[in-house]
Amino acid sequence: MLRTLAIIAAITASANATATSTSIDWDLQSSNITTDGTWVAGSNSSTWNDAESIALTSDGVEVVVTGWSDSEGDTSASNSKEYYDQIVEQGDLYYWGDSNGWGVVNGDENSNSVPDHSIDNYSSSLMYSDQDMVLLSFSEAVSLEGISVGWYSDGQNNILDVGAVAISSQDVANMSNGTSTWDDIYSEVDMSTISKQGSSNYYALDSDAGSSTFWLVGLYNEMENCDYDAFKLMGVTAKTSNGGGGTPPVDVPEPSSIAIFALGLAFIVRQKKLSSKFKLNF
């Protein structure tokens, strides 16, 4: 009987283990992208480090990275700021080495200018700032846990105001419609702040922001009082609801520990009855 109980306990523990989730890391170094991922060349054919998008698979889950910014002007706007900027459009990704990471260069920026060629809320070429974002598109829904940052500039307050927000497929479609602003895509109150963890280059979400296939990562406010921030992305960490591996969970209710244990006890009772029924007395 003790052996039977041990077997039941092992089955129960195994069933519970399948419900846990594990973290997955995507290291976005250029060697990983060119060897195991996809690098789609950007609009600047005169340089090697320009990309329209990059993609990398880890533990069976793919992430596609693209750069975006509110750098397009609304020519129908009555005020100067919206006339020159505010409409979201896709920019290019630029790779600045393994110790620095990826930046975004939008339509108002020059790839040779710093901090323009990073993920920033600043533009030196025009009088109005642009808010860059990186769109992370995963092959399945994930909970974003954090990012790895290479080079960064944290402005006058010595705080890198970086955050992340989950968006829908409709939001992603609206980013390309030529009329949407960042306010149309997400609400700033929904953005989760991302904070530096100790002396490492890893920044973790301060709270659970839910699960989604699409995530925007960037600075959560536009430049104010010349206090601009900027950073370059080196990696991403997230977890899937089925614990990684890229295989979607089977659409069948998972048996609870109590249910499994109850079935085990029923099996023991039945075995005892059968044993008593066929017991011979001499």
Side-chain angles (χ1 to χ4, degrees):
M1 181 175 176
L2 289 176
R3 182 185 177 190
T4 305
L5 286 173
I7 293 172
I8 295 170
I11 294 173
T12 303
S14 176
N16 288 338
T18 61
T20 62
S21 57
T22 55
S23 297
I24 304 173
D25 295 317
W26 290 265
D27 184 345
L28 300 178
Q29 288 191 10
S30 63
S31 57
N32 294 335
I33 304 298
T34 55
T35 303
D36 302 317
T38 303
W39 183 315
V40 178
S43 58
N44 188 355
S45 59
S46 64
T47 181
W48 70 272
N49 61 334
D50 179 24
E52 178 183 311
S53 66
I54 57 171
L56 185 65
T57 298
S58 181
D59 266 3
V61 182
E62 182 185 55
V63 61
V64 178
V65 184
T66 50
W68 298 79
S69 188
D70 57 350
S71 53
E72 180 67 22
D74 180 3
T75 55
S76 65
S78 58
N79 67 74
S80 297
K81 182 174 182 179
E82 291 183 2
Y83 184 89
Y84 286 105
D85 284 308
Q86 293 299 293
I87 303 300
V88 174
E89 63 177 351
Q90 186 171 354
D92 276 5
L93 298 170
Y94 275 77
Y95 188 68
W96 301 109
D98 293 347
S99 60
N100 290 312
W102 292 90
V104 173
V105 176
N106 64 53
D108 291 339
E109 297 176 326
N110 187 321
S111 61
N112 295 319
S113 298
V114 180
D116 287 26
H117 65 208
S118 60
I119 304 165
D120 62 274
N121 57 358
Y122 175 82
S123 178
S124 61
S125 59
L126 290 174
M127 61 185 297
Y128 298 113
S129 61
D130 300 319
Q131 188 173 3
D132 298 337
M133 288 282 183
V134 170
L135 174 64
L136 307 175
S137 303
F138 294 90
S139 57
E140 63 179 84
V142 301
S143 296
L144 189 66
E145 294 185 303
I147 60 174
S148 295
V149 171
W151 176 92
Y152 70 92
S153 174
D154 52 15
Q156 296 179 1
N157 63 356
N158 296 320
I159 298 174
L160 187 61
D161 297 324
V162 62
V165 61
I167 62 174
S168 68
S169 57
Q170 184 60 58
D171 294 327
V172 175
N174 291 341
M175 288 167 61
S176 301
N177 66 12
T179 60
S180 295
T181 68
W182 283 132
D183 288 338
D184 298 322
I185 305 302
Y186 70 92
S187 173
E188 189 173 311
V189 297
D190 294 329
M191 181 169 278
S192 298
T193 56
I194 303 178
S195 299
K196 185 176 177 64
Q197 304 299 297
S199 59
S200 71
N201 66 341
Y202 182 70
Y203 287 68
L205 268 70
D206 293 336
S207 60
D208 185 355
S211 179
S212 178
T213 307
F214 304 103
W215 290 85
L216 282 173
V217 175
L219 302 165
Y220 54 78
N221 60 351
E222 295 218 23
M223 183 184 68
E224 295 180 358
N225 301 321
C226 296
D227 184 22
Y228 67 83
D229 288 336
F231 71 98
K232 294 170 184 173
L233 182 68
M234 295 180 64
V236 178
T237 301
K239 61 183 178 181
T240 63
S241 58
N242 60 303
T247 304
V250 179
D251 192 18
V252 175
E254 182 180 326
S256 67
S257 301
I258 296 176
I260 294 174
F261 199 76
L263 287 173
L265 288 177
F267 173 78
I268 293 173
V269 172
R270 176 177 172 78
Q271 289 297 103
K272 289 189 66 176
K273 286 183 178 180
L274 288 175
S275 177
S276 299
K277 180 177 181 180
F278 293 103
K279 185 176 180 180
L280 298 177
N281 296 314
F282 292 97

